[in-house]
Amino acid sequence: MSHLSSLPEKHKGERKGHRLPRGSERGSSSQDKDRSVTVGSSVPMSAGGKGSRTNCSRSTPQKVPNRLISEKSPYLLQHAYNPVDWYPWGQEAFNKARKENKPIFLSVGYSTCHWCHMMEKESFQDEEIGRLLSEDFVSVKVDREERPDVDKAYMTFVQATSSGGGWPMSVWLTPSLQPFVGGTYFPPEDGLTRVGFRTVLMRIREQWTQNKSPLLKTSQRVTAALLARSEISMGDRQLPPSTATTTSRCFQQLDGSHDEEYGGFAEAPKFPTPVILSFLFSYWLSHRLTQDGSRAQQMALHTLKMMANGGIRDHVGQGFHRYSTDRQWHVPHFEKMLYDQAQLTVAYSQAFQISGDEFYSEVAKGILQYVARNLSHRSGGFYSAEDGDSPPERGMRPKEGAFYVWTVEEVQQLLPEPVLGATEPLTSGQLLMKHYGLTEAGNISPGQDPKGELQGQNVLTVRYSLELTAARFGLEVEAVRTLLNSGLEKLFQARKHRPKPHLDSKMLAAWNGLMVSGFAVTGAVLGQERLISCAVSGARFLKQHMFDVASGRLMRTCYAGSGGTVEHSNPPCWGFLEDYAFVVRGLLDLYEASQESAWLEWALRLQDTQDRLFWDSRGGGYFCSEAELGAGLPLRLKDDQDGAEPSANSVSAHNLLRLHGFTGHKDWMHKCVCLLAAFSERMRRVPVALPEMVRALSAHQQTLKQIVICGDPQAKDTKALLQCVHSIYIPNKVLILADGDPSSFLSRQLPFLRTLRRLEDQATAYVCENQACSMPITEPCELRKLLHQ
């Protein structure tokens, strides 16, 4: 976990190394240049040499399924025909390990993971390796997205004892679930400098038989050390750290790592980092009259523009790929994750609020168009991901990026029409290829294609502005825009005939909560009711399919069944902290976008449940999992890094501030203070590891604005005032609609609302801070002036 290192990591488990091979999964460290060497243990391992076998005896997978065939997880089902006696995580596997005194082999991954696919193909389909795993170990397969608690607990061990972490994660446990060897991807065979998976298995079998006692002692010692190092607590601290010092240091760390030319905050690979961009926008707002404030805004806007122009964005079908393998955002790892789409649409909407540049709003709308088309269940929920691998043609083996890349010949055949008015002979295909950088030899360098799968292929990436492309061929800018859009649409229609990447149709409460925020915030900013309606549908899906009314608890997962049905695992997988935190955020955003108080009421109830299940009354902050659900795990953690997804504690800090603004309940403000105090040392040491929490720290120190609109929610003047608020970037506020009903939910929570009146029967706005409200305002232009102060 991140607290084991003082490096300013971008992503927990995502600290990528320089010049990693394409397809390296989420999770490798800055030292993890080859997953096969990522192993930590006290077990001696030999690699290569005359005694090493150079070939595995492979056969086609058995047609008889193992017990994973009864699971719902797409990832587990991908392994249901392995010749391995797999168990899902659970008591049956643990009892077998104890009864037979065998070590547990724990394999953790997710269904769209490229290197998980590789290890499954190379090792788990191998008959001999399957026998080793089945006879000498109790083999357990876990979908990290279903059980983030299991993943985080053992990833902490792997990162602490090896050169990094990542997926697939491979960990060997004692029957009491204590880890003693950990690694990531292993090739099946030994190489000159790397240990093969079969060798690892045989060495561990030997050590377990002959030297079990030292192994157990080492495991206990390491686990005890991890427990001590992972503790996050207030201790004697009663107050959070200094806001000015912490925010300034966070900004300086980001400024020092910013790529001036291409944007982003690393060399390569580069990840979308919405939490960093959100911090920079907030920092700009607080320091907008200073040089640092202008610098923060420039870094964020430049990064968003370079990402949107790069190959990390799917210019044909919209949406963003997982990360870029190069500094230029050119060649991506092609997997598409729901949580990236959700957070990036908010970031681009905020960029539009701040800059007024419609370039950013168009990108946001494109992301949501992709999600609505490719990642949406008919009942309103959102699927988890699309794979980066797919067959180039039906019947062929999958290759990464096959669905997304193009040859010059393909584009020329699809777009042969001559362009009228150009200063030289030109076809629509040539225009598109020039603008998006396609070449006959392909624009993917061999270093980014170690397996040679993408020779002659091209990733679309914007090479020139519309103005430069138009000037190059003597055309009008709007004509070029029309021609390029028409060309992309034809490529999109042609791409429909290619074999599609695997869809992970699992639905996670946490990521659905993020997506509700994405639709709600963007719909509100752009004034588009249909986007807000998608957010409403998502929230209804969560309440209908992922919420247990009797217990008040969220379920972590549900799955797309046949015929548009929704299925659940039995017993259900209950929600983790991130499920509650992200859903509560989504509901608060949805209330502000729709002004339907039912969503706010549900958010309050879920926050109460979150507090009951996860709050650490002794040390402050929230544990990632329920005590009962994580029974047996060596660590019960508090996530302490904002990475690909924000830390649930960071989001909870913001939620508590907003809920206090909506209700005046002092307990939530007290919990926010305790949470920030608990993470004080982490923010003080490495604030860049927690930019979302540093943003919450800043919001806590400032005064939250309660913007109250008194009026009929259906009236034009009320909507005009609401849209005025939505159009302005004001992160530290709550937006409240007072409809004049003294018995309404919000009037009961905030009695002062009953004293606010419409002025001359017009919709009227009040801006309240520190229990004092502004003079009444009826004109949107006057409200805008006040909010910009």
Side-chain angles (χ1 to χ4, degrees):
M1 293 279 285
S2 51
H3 51 261
L4 299 173
S5 169
S6 59
L7 291 172
E9 308 97 326
K10 295 283 189 299
H11 305 276
K12 174 162 42 127
E14 292 180 348
R15 294 170 291 145
K16 295 288 184 176
H18 300 290
R19 302 187 64 80
L20 278 172
R22 292 184 64 261
S24 292
E25 284 314 313
R26 302 175 282 169
S28 31
S29 76
S30 56
Q31 300 169 328
D32 186 9
K33 295 183 176 64
D34 188 326
R35 301 185 131 35
S36 60
V37 301
T38 307
V39 57
S41 74
S42 56
V43 179
M45 302 283 179
S46 62
K50 294 181 180 180
S52 299
R53 294 183 58 177
T54 57
N55 288 292
C56 288
S57 58
R58 293 187 179 86
S59 65
T60 56
Q62 292 182 359
K63 296 301 181 183
V64 178
N66 56 50
R67 60 176 54 78
L68 296 185
I69 198 68
S70 301
E71 297 299 307
K72 298 290 186 184
S73 160
Y75 176 62
L76 269 58
L77 289 171
Q78 287 172 350
H79 295 77
Y81 286 90
N82 295 161
V84 178
D85 188 18
W86 287 116
Y87 284 79
W89 180 266
Q91 202 59 48
E92 183 183 6
F94 311 152
N95 289 342
K96 178 180 173 67
R98 294 181 186 117
K99 181 180 179 180
E100 300 179 10
N101 194 25
K102 290 181 178 178
I104 295 170
F105 169 62
L106 173 65
S107 176
V108 182
Y110 56 101
S111 79
T112 58
C113 161
H114 175 78
W115 287 97
C116 300
H117 300 333
M118 291 295 294
M119 195 162 178
E120 192 266 341
K121 176 184 174 184
E122 296 169 343
S123 293
F124 300 146
Q125 290 184 20
D126 182 88
E127 298 282 353
E128 183 181 340
I129 288 176
R131 280 194 296 273
L132 279 170
L133 286 170
S134 301
E135 293 173 4
D136 299 311
F137 303 88
V138 176
S139 298
V140 176
K141 179 62 70 172
V142 168
D143 184 335
R144 68 173 296 264
E145 293 166 355
E146 283 190 331
R147 291 301 301 260
D149 57 332
V150 175
D151 178 59
K152 289 170 183 173
Y154 293 112
M155 186 63 75
T156 301
F157 170 80
V158 171
Q159 289 181 321
T161 59
S162 70
S163 60
W167 298 279
M169 178 170 64
S170 306
V171 191
W172 285 263
L173 318 176
T174 69
S176 60
L177 307 184
Q178 304 296 309
F180 62 90
V181 177
T184 54
Y185 163 82
F186 293 94
E189 307 149 6
D190 291 350
L192 291 176
T193 59
R194 31 183 221 179
V195 185
F197 189 54
R198 185 194 293 100
T199 298
V200 174
L201 292 174
M202 292 190 295
R203 292 289 183 269
I204 292 174
R205 178 182 64 184
E206 177 184 332
Q207 292 296 314
W208 183 260
T209 303
Q210 300 177 7
N211 297 300
K212 186 188 304 180
S213 181
L215 280 181
L216 296 177
K217 288 180 181 178
T218 299
S219 173
Q220 291 168 357
R221 185 171 67 252
V222 171
T223 302
L226 290 176
L227 275 169
R229 296 176 68 178
S230 65
E231 183 177 6
I232 294 174
S233 175
M234 290 187 295
D236 296 329
R237 293 182 293 272
Q238 299 298 316
L239 296 173
S242 162
T243 299
T245 301
T246 307
T247 55
S248 176
R249 190 171 181 208
C250 187
F251 167 75
Q252 295 299 333
Q253 288 177 340
L254 291 172
D255 190 21
S257 64
H258 180 246
D259 184 336
E260 294 290 340
E261 187 172 3
Y262 296 105
F265 301 89
E267 286 295 319
K270 280 184 175 176
F271 292 83
T273 50
V275 290
I276 288 177
L277 303 173
S278 180
F279 167 80
L280 290 172
F281 283 147
S282 178
Y283 190 85
W284 159 77
L285 189 65
S286 301
H287 302 77
R288 59 186 181 275
L289 299 180
T290 69
Q291 187 174 352
D292 282 353
S294 298
R295 170 72 172 158
Q297 184 203 61
Q298 180 268 330
M299 285 194 293
L301 292 177
H302 179 57
T303 296
L304 286 167
K305 184 154 283 190
M306 296 305 292
M307 283 170 48
N309 285 335
I312 192 173
R313 181 184 174 202
D314 179 1
H315 294 277
V316 174
Q318 298 303 313
F320 279 79
H321 299 295
R322 183 64 201 93
Y323 62 81
S324 172
T325 63
D326 54 68
R327 179 187 167 207
Q328 294 83 6
W329 304 106
H330 176 201
V331 181
H333 171 45
F334 292 90
E335 164 192 11
K336 288 180 175 180
M337 306 302 299
L338 179 67
Y339 59 75
D340 283 324
Q341 318 309 322
Q343 295 176 90
L344 284 170
T345 190
V346 173
Y348 279 98
S349 296
Q350 291 173 339
F352 172 65
Q353 285 178 310
I354 290 166
S355 69
D357 187 343
E358 291 186 0
F359 171 87
Y360 299 106
S361 62
E362 289 301 313
V363 175
K365 286 189 286 187
I367 296 171
L368 296 182
Q369 180 186 35
Y370 160 72
V371 171
R373 183 184 65 240
N374 286 49
L375 296 180
S376 294
H377 189 274
R378 66 171 64 173
S379 297
F382 304 104
Y383 303 134
S384 294
E386 283 190 308
D387 208 332
D389 297 12
S390 61
E393 297 178 17
R394 283 168 179 79
M396 298 179 67
R397 67 176 182 84
K399 294 182 179 181
E400 190 179 7
F403 186 73
Y404 299 101
V405 294
W406 300 88
T407 64
V408 163
E409 183 181 7
E410 286 175 311
V411 175
Q412 287 175 331
Q413 288 177 351
L414 289 167
L415 304 173
E417 308 87 358
V419 176
L420 301 178
T423 54
E424 61 186 73
L426 181 71
T427 66
S428 295
Q430 290 170 328
L431 177 70
L432 186 141
M433 290 188 291
K434 181 72 174 179
H435 188 73
Y436 287 103
L438 280 68
T439 66
E440 192 78 43
N443 63 13
I444 301 169
S445 70
Q448 295 170 296
D449 183 26
K451 291 182 283 185
E453 293 182 335
L454 298 173
Q455 291 181 2
Q457 301 285 349
N458 293 271
V459 175
L460 272 64
T461 181
V462 176
R463 295 292 178 151
Y464 308 99
S465 67
L466 286 172
E467 289 76 12
L468 281 175
T469 299
R472 167 71 177 77
F473 297 108
L475 298 168
E476 294 294 327
V477 170
E478 285 308 310
V480 170
R481 189 194 311 274
T482 300
L483 286 166
L484 290 175
N485 287 340
S486 175
L488 292 174
E489 176 61 24
K490 289 180 180 178
L491 295 189
F492 177 74
Q493 294 301 326
R495 200 171 76 175
K496 285 181 178 181
H497 298 288
R498 296 178 176 179
K500 290 181 172 57
H502 159 72
L503 172 68
D504 186 332
S505 58
K506 174 177 73 267
M507 290 170 274
L508 302 173
W511 298 0
N512 272 252
L514 290 175
M515 203 65 246
V516 168
S517 283
F519 274 104
V521 170
T522 305
V525 169
L526 302 183
Q528 294 198 1
E529 287 294 331
R530 64 179 182 83
L531 299 181
I532 298 172
S533 295
C534 289
V536 170
S537 296
R540 286 176 179 161
F541 181 91
L542 281 163
K543 195 162 190 179
Q544 180 178 351
H545 295 287
M546 308 192 78
F547 177 63
D548 181 63
V549 177
S551 65
R553 294 162 76 191
L554 286 171
M555 298 175 201
R556 169 70 174 173
T557 59
C558 65
Y559 309 86
S562 59
T565 60
V566 177
E567 299 179 350
H568 296 84
S569 56
N570 187 21
C573 182
W574 296 109
F576 296 91
L577 174 63
E578 64 183 42
D579 296 299
Y580 288 85
F582 296 177
V583 170
V584 168
R585 169 184 273 188
L587 294 174
L588 296 180
D589 289 337
L590 181 53
Y591 165 71
E592 293 197 350
S594 68
Q595 297 301 319
E596 295 179 19
S597 63
W599 302 122
L600 181 58
E601 293 182 53
W602 190 31
L604 267 63
R605 291 201 299 273
L606 287 179
Q607 186 65 50
D608 284 335
T609 304
Q610 175 183 320
D611 294 345
R612 174 170 55 85
L613 296 177
F614 304 102
W615 180 253
D616 180 2
S617 57
R618 181 182 62 85
Y622 294 96
F623 290 109
C624 293
S625 59
E626 296 181 41
E628 182 178 341
L629 187 62
L633 287 175
L635 302 170
R636 190 183 183 206
L637 300 169
K638 297 174 186 174
D639 199 358
D640 66 347
Q641 181 156 351
D642 296 321
E645 305 163 60
S647 157
N649 271 288
S650 298
V651 173
S652 293
H654 286 281
N655 290 346
L656 292 167
L657 286 172
R658 294 173 75 183
L659 287 166
H660 176 259
F662 279 121
T663 67
H665 294 180
K666 294 181 180 179
D667 179 60
W668 279 328
M669 179 60 76
H670 175 70
K671 277 187 167 62
C672 180
V673 171
C674 291
L675 187 158
L676 294 171
F679 285 84
S680 177
E681 181 61 20
R682 176 69 165 157
M683 285 193 283
R684 186 190 64 78
R685 281 195 305 113
V686 199
V688 74
L690 281 166
E692 184 72 3
M693 189 172 288
V694 173
R695 194 169 73 83
L697 175 69
S698 178
H700 166 259
Q701 185 266 339
Q702 299 169 14
T703 303
L704 181 130
K705 287 182 170 67
Q706 294 169 305
I707 304 173
V708 183
I709 309 296
C710 299
D712 177 355
Q714 302 305 319
K716 287 185 179 180
D717 55 355
T718 303
K719 291 181 177 181
L721 291 174
L722 289 170
Q723 191 55 44
C724 172
V725 177
H726 289 310
S727 69
I728 304 171
Y729 176 69
I730 320 169
N732 193 23
K733 63 104 173 56
V734 293
L735 175 59
I736 297 168
L737 177 66
D739 60 5
D741 180 3
S743 64
S744 69
F745 174 75
L746 275 167
S747 292
R748 297 196 307 272
Q749 301 293 322
L750 298 170
F752 82 89
L753 295 179
R754 301 170 190 167
T755 68
L756 303 181
R757 298 284 183 267
R758 302 185 201 184
L759 194 64
E760 298 179 355
D761 206 31
Q762 299 179 75
T764 305
Y766 298 85
V767 179
C768 305
E769 299 179 72
N770 291 323
Q771 298 180 322
C773 294
S774 69
M775 297 294 289
I777 300 170
T778 58
E779 293 298 326
C781 59
E782 294 300 319
L783 178 59
R784 182 176 298 275
K785 288 180 185 177
L786 179 60
L787 294 175
H788 274 305
Q789 288 180 3

